[in-house]
Amino acid sequence: MVILTINANDPTKDVVRSWMEERGYDFTVLWADGFARKAGVRGFPTTWVVDREGRIAFEVMGGTEHFDQEYGWRVEALLEEGTP
């Protein structure tokens, strides 16, 4: 499993870097450069779980402090199917 994020709101990479360091995150952050608008993102944050074929398996609108507890079962089901 790979976690990528796309920054669409923060003004500088230094802001993002500081935010990531404060929280102990070390996953990749991509710079949006208009991607969110082009992809039709309607709110922030938006989480897409994408399968190995590049298809969005499911989407979560809004933030959560407990993604693993709320959606982990869906990710596990995809892993068992061999699709992500």
Side-chain angles (χ1 to χ4, degrees):
M1 179 182 301
V2 176
I3 297 174
L4 300 172
T5 60
I6 301 172
N7 177 57
N9 293 325
D10 294 309
T12 69
K13 293 179 183 179
D14 288 335
V15 170
V16 174
R17 191 174 294 110
S18 293
W19 188 88
M20 296 283 288
E21 287 174 1
E22 288 171 10
R23 288 157 180 78
Y25 296 145
D26 64 355
F27 46 82
T28 302
V29 178
L30 307 173
W31 210 251
D33 194 28
F35 174 79
R37 180 182 44 76
K38 292 174 191 172
V41 173
R42 299 175 309 276
F44 296 97
T46 295
T47 301
W48 294 330
V49 174
V50 179
D51 68 16
R52 287 185 178 151
E53 302 300 318
R55 297 176 300 231
I56 297 173
F58 69 93
E59 176 181 82
V60 178
M61 295 286 295
T64 176
E65 294 286 322
H66 307 285
F67 183 88
D68 57 336
Q69 295 166 340
E70 296 175 33
Y71 302 101
W73 65 273
R74 292 186 75 178
V75 173
E76 289 294 327
L78 287 169
L79 290 170
E80 288 173 10
E81 293 173 10
T83 56

